[in-house]
Amino acid sequence: MSRTMSGGDIIVQVLADEGVDTIFGYSGGAILPTYDSVFRHNERCRVEGGQQIQLVVPASEQGAGFMAAGYARASGKVGVFMVTSGPGATNSVTPIRDCTADSIPVVLITGQVPRAALGSDAFQEAPIFNLMSVCAKHAFLVTDPEELEETVRAAFEIARSGRPGPVVVDVPKDIQNWIGPYKGEGQLKLTGYGRRVRDIRNARVAPDNAAAFFAALGQSERPLIYAGGGVMHSGAAEELRGFAERFGIPVVTTLMGIGAVDTRSPLSLHMLGMHGAAYANYAVEDCDFLLAVAARFDDRVAGKPREFAPQARFIAHIDIDPAEHGKVKTAAWSHTGDATTALADLREAGASFKKDFSAWRNAVARLKKQHAHNFDRQAEAIQPQDALEQLDAIVNGEAIVTSGVGQHQMWAAQYLSFRHPRTWLTSGSMGTMGFGLPAAIGAQLACPDRLVINVDGDGSIRMNFGELETVTTYGLPVKVLVLNNNGDGMVRQWQRIYFAERFCGTDKSLHKKDFIKAAEADGFDFARRVSEKSELAGALRAFVEFPGPAFLEVVVDQDASVYPMVGPGAGYKEMITGEFIPARQSVEAGVGSTDKPDLF
């Protein structure tokens, strides 16, 4: 039976029906009716019983968006944020585009000026539908109040189905104030989309396709699995681990795929690509069979696509998005569908498959040993890799780690262990500085019993530094580790290599920010700076073990660089391993071998 509600009440009730327990958002005139509905919903729940919806107010709308993204990435549920019209909504464009690029399910509710004022340049009016339509998975402008309930409910279905992504619902203020029936069911009819999602959801690997896959695998001597972020989105990590173990196939992951396999597993070759492990990239060079699972051959991985996996006689590709098949790299075998289902189908079809790949596993084990990550361990200044290596020894791969974007992001990906899926949260395709701190807040709220650490850089954390106060306002035990090299380190590295050390705009040594005083001002009882190597181990342990919010600034070598590095537009053969990671050529020259691995 329907009941009468305001538009704002309808929005909040749909959120409650969808199981939303947290909203991140910043208020304003055009969204006030819905904020008032949140207040009244929680009052009713307090008096009558029921699940209240926590409202988390950030320092900025961008922070709200990244909190919702962190919540979604850590929990697997749809994250929700809500902002006002005009600048509130335009400040949300970056997190929406970031979520689209990394396939993260969030729903954004934006206030809009009343329908009668649309197009009149009214106060805080902005063309949000137009802006968001090209940035989000889908955007709605609600013009018929009778469709409000169905639209909000459809937004959740679109956000989490198929290839996940962000959905924006722009709601004029007069529709929020409108009084009408709440039905408690139904959503907009999206016939074409619904049919495609059903087809993909029901897709199975046909017996003849499975037979072709295993026929090719049987001809292989050096198979490799290349796993992407979609493994996390589809909940396929356990199935992937079982598949790799059943057939004895090593795994490389993208930046977004970290955690798809336990990085401490003998089958894990860690991250491949521009700053991937040298041994991972060498394994890609050597493999003769490549299975890409929920990965898209992006430019930071494939480099020169024609030269990527040059010895792979057979490339197989599993992805839920048909647009990704053949977009960058042509596969001999492909399947459009959910990764969990596809891997399970293949595993079942290959129940009798037998092939010993131990020689290949031994070869990649030698690659891991000969070309391991390394850095200047004799340097007087603290090396950022050392700080992360020591942190890893303390947390043992059990923390949820978020990061900003830059060198610290790559070092964290290289030197930290990740034993579980959804424990490495970072901005991948968009590479958005300022992501780490608000994402950590969202992750901590999604997983209140987990240790959450934001590994950040001095440049990246400045972007959303105001969210430190959000951490203490809500009493969240988030740990913030800032590797301070007084500059935009990744850009400086490129300037050093490609621009003859013309460090234009990247030197922060003249900036006056005192991070410790700022953290203390925002209520951090643990706020400490370390600049001596002898102090590092004790400070890291105290930082991790502190029972509340903790802020640790580690002053690191400004000239430390991220290696390996495959330069922009280069192939893996042109990988630079730096001074402390042996390149394959030097290792082989030392033992007098050919340019082929020991397997051949």
Side-chain angles (χ1 to χ4, degrees), residues 97-106 136-138 155-167 193 196-198 200-201 228-231 233-234 256 294-298 317 319-325 327 336-339 429:
R97 174 58 195 146
D98 191 273
C99 286
T100 298
D102 288 344
S103 303
I104 306 302
V106 300
K137 181 179 179 181
H138 197 78
F156 279 83
E157 176 61 21
I158 294 170
R160 62 184 163 228
S161 60
R163 181 176 181 170
V167 179
Y193 178 80
R196 291 193 298 273
V197 168
R198 283 193 299 275
I200 291 171
R201 189 177 289 148
V231 172
H233 307 323
S234 64
M256 302 306 296
R296 57 189 182 85
F297 298 93
D298 72 281
H317 191 190
D319 201 279
I320 201 167
D321 187 351
E324 294 298 341
H325 293 286
K327 187 173 79 173
T336 300
D338 176 72
S429 184

Side-chain angles (χ1 to χ4, degrees), residues 85-299:
S85 64
T90 58
N91 283 347
S92 303
V93 170
T94 297
I96 287 295
R97 174 58 195 146
D98 191 273
C99 286
T100 298
D102 288 344
S103 303
I104 306 302
V106 300
V107 168
L108 167 61
I109 309 293
T110 60
Q112 183 56 275
V113 299
R115 285 173 292 173
L118 285 170
S120 69
D121 289 331
F123 178 69
Q124 292 192 332
E125 181 187 2
I128 297 309
F129 174 78
N130 306 68
L131 290 170
M132 293 297 190
S133 291
V134 294
C135 294
K137 181 179 179 181
H138 197 78
F140 294 99
L141 170 61
V142 182
T143 56
D144 181 352
E146 299 281 355
E147 294 183 346
L148 175 62
E149 177 184 349
E150 290 80 1
T151 301
V152 178
R153 194 171 286 114
F156 279 83
E157 176 61 21
I158 294 170
R160 62 184 163 228
S161 60
R163 181 176 181 170
V167 179
V168 180
V169 184
D170 197 28
V171 188
K173 188 174 182 179
D174 62 311
I175 289 181
Q176 296 172 56
N177 285 322
W178 169 81
I179 303 297
Y182 181 78
K183 303 169 188 173
E185 60 181 3
Q187 62 178 257
L188 292 182
K189 286 183 171 55
L190 304 168
T191 306
Y193 178 80
R195 182 173 59 250
R196 291 193 298 273
V197 168
R198 283 193 299 275
D199 289 346
I200 291 171
R201 189 177 289 148
N202 296 329
R204 306 300 296 265
V205 179
D208 56 338
N209 285 344
F213 178 91
F214 284 105
L217 184 60
Q219 296 296 312
S220 167
E221 299 296 334
R222 305 181 304 281
L224 188 66
I225 296 171
Y226 150 44
V231 172
M232 244 64 69
H233 307 323
S234 64
E238 290 305 315
E239 195 62 51
L240 176 68
R241 295 176 187 207
F243 184 93
E245 290 167 3
R246 160 65 181 85
F247 299 109
I249 303 176
V251 182
V252 294
T253 71
T254 65
L255 177 70
M256 302 306 296
I258 291 174
V261 293
D262 183 342
T263 56
R264 297 190 177 189
S265 165
L267 289 175
S268 172
L269 292 177
H270 304 124
M271 183 174 74
L272 81 166
M274 175 175 276
H275 293 296
Y279 48 82
N281 289 346
Y282 289 144
V284 172
E285 287 278 286
D286 295 343
C287 74
D288 64 2
F289 179 107
L290 184 70
L291 169 58
V293 181
R296 57 189 182 85
F297 298 93
D298 72 281
D299 61 305

Side-chain angles (χ1 to χ4, degrees), residues 34-54:
T34 303
Y35 268 76
D36 187 61
S37 295
V38 173
F39 182 94
R40 289 184 288 103
H41 169 85
N42 287 339
E43 280 294 292
R44 285 194 303 272
C45 289
R46 185 180 62 81
V47 174
E48 301 171 6
Q51 176 66 50
Q52 296 187 45
I53 300 176
Q54 182 177 17

Side-chain angles (χ1 to χ4, degrees), residues 209-483:
N209 285 344
F213 178 91
F214 284 105
L217 184 60
Q219 296 296 312
S220 167
E221 299 296 334
R222 305 181 304 281
L224 188 66
I225 296 171
Y226 150 44
V231 172
M232 244 64 69
H233 307 323
S234 64
E238 290 305 315
E239 195 62 51
L240 176 68
R241 295 176 187 207
F243 184 93
E245 290 167 3
R246 160 65 181 85
F247 299 109
I249 303 176
V251 182
V252 294
T253 71
T254 65
L255 177 70
M256 302 306 296
I258 291 174
V261 293
D262 183 342
T263 56
R264 297 190 177 189
S265 165
L267 289 175
S268 172
L269 292 177
H270 304 124
M271 183 174 74
L272 81 166
M274 175 175 276
H275 293 296
Y279 48 82
N281 289 346
Y282 289 144
V284 172
E285 287 278 286
D286 295 343
C287 74
D288 64 2
F289 179 107
L290 184 70
L291 169 58
V293 181
R296 57 189 182 85
F297 298 93
D298 72 281
D299 61 305
R300 287 305 195 253
V301 166
K304 293 180 180 177
R306 290 187 179 181
E307 297 179 12
F308 182 72
Q311 298 188 54
R313 297 190 296 270
F314 191 89
I315 294 178
H317 191 190
I318 296 170
D319 201 279
I320 201 167
D321 187 351
E324 294 298 341
H325 293 286
K327 187 173 79 173
V328 176
K329 189 83 173 176
T330 301
W333 184 99
S334 63
H335 174 76
T336 300
D338 176 72
T340 303
T341 304
L343 289 171
D345 287 346
L346 286 174
R347 196 172 171 187
E348 182 179 352
S352 60
F353 178 85
K354 292 181 180 179
K355 183 72 183 278
D356 182 5
F357 297 120
S358 59
W360 168 236
R361 292 194 299 275
N362 291 337
V364 297
R366 287 191 290 273
L367 290 177
K368 287 175 74 172
K369 183 177 180 179
Q370 293 169 345
H371 308 286
H373 288 306
N374 203 6
F375 55 93
D376 185 359
R377 297 179 182 274
Q378 307 304 317
E380 292 185 7
I382 296 175
Q383 299 303 295
Q385 303 97 321
D386 185 25
L388 291 166
E389 199 171 71
Q390 292 195 46
L391 176 65
D392 189 54
I394 296 169
V395 301
N396 195 33
E398 295 293 341
I400 295 175
V401 178
T402 70
S403 84
V405 169
Q407 287 180 315
H408 66 276
Q409 177 190 31
M410 295 297 106
W411 287 319
Q414 292 175 344
Y415 285 88
L416 296 179
S417 301
F418 297 92
R419 311 194 72 173
H420 310 286
R422 297 193 180 279
T423 54
W424 167 243
L425 316 181
T426 195
S427 173
S429 184
M430 273 286 281
T432 310
M433 294 174 69
F435 172 90
L437 178 56
I441 293 169
Q444 189 74 81
L445 286 160
C447 306
D449 297 327
R450 298 293 301 274
L451 171 63
V452 177
I453 302 173
N454 168 221
V455 176
D456 230 318
D458 59 294
S460 193
I461 199 169
R462 279 183 168 95
M463 296 284 186
N464 275 310
F465 199 73
E467 304 306 346
L468 279 183
E469 186 181 16
T470 310
V471 173
T472 55
T473 295
Y474 294 93
L476 304 174
V478 170
K479 308 294 185 275
V480 182
L481 173 63
V482 175
L483 302 177

